[in-house]
Amino acid sequence: MRLGHQPPDHLLAPDEVVYCETVDDQVFVYTGRAMYQTALSLGELESRYGSLGFFRAGKSAVVNLHHIRSLESQGAGRIQATLATGEKLIVSRRYAPLLRERLGL
């Protein structure tokens, strides 16, 4: 996965990515150690790396399923995912049923 808009670009293995989010029309990729900006959209990240565990958690986030440590049901059909980094990410009610299905829950 090539990240960055200008040299030096960073190459990351998809399994290093914990989650990705959109903030102010920019996409950021988070690993356990650093944050990077990418020119790829969340849709592109999801389609390219979906088979490797990337899952759309909401309109502004994609999470790597391999980095989810626990799930907790929230009100209104949402799910709170606790990630390997300790960060918490909300899976929207639109994507929560798909997450349950994907994880076999």
Side-chain angles (χ1 to χ4, degrees):
M1 175 181 305
R2 184 171 297 281
L3 302 173
H5 292 288
Q6 56 195 11
D9 284 348
H10 296 279
L11 292 177
L12 291 176
D15 64 344
E16 291 181 78
V17 176
V18 177
Y19 72 101
C20 311
E21 72 175 343
T22 300
V23 178
D24 296 330
D25 296 324
Q26 297 179 34
V27 178
F28 296 94
V29 175
Y30 299 86
T31 69
R33 297 179 310 275
M35 174 190 74
Y36 303 94
Q37 187 176 353
T38 180
L40 298 174
S41 70
L42 289 181
E44 290 171 319
L45 289 166
E46 180 185 20
S47 65
R48 287 186 190 189
Y49 303 108
S51 64
L52 300 175
F54 284 37
F55 177 82
R56 180 65 77 120
K59 69 178 185 176
S60 63
V62 169
V63 65
N64 185 337
L65 297 177
H66 301 290
H67 289 280
I68 293 177
R69 294 298 172 252
S70 67
L71 298 171
E72 182 180 322
S73 291
Q74 300 290 298
R78 300 176 311 157
I79 298 172
Q80 179 177 275
T82 301
L83 306 177
T85 58
E87 293 178 84
K88 297 183 186 308
L89 182 76
I90 296 294
V91 179
S92 73
R93 66 176 178 233
R94 176 180 177 189
Y95 294 99
L98 299 171
L99 177 64
R100 288 184 183 98
E101 180 182 315
R102 181 97 181 252
L103 296 177
L105 302 175

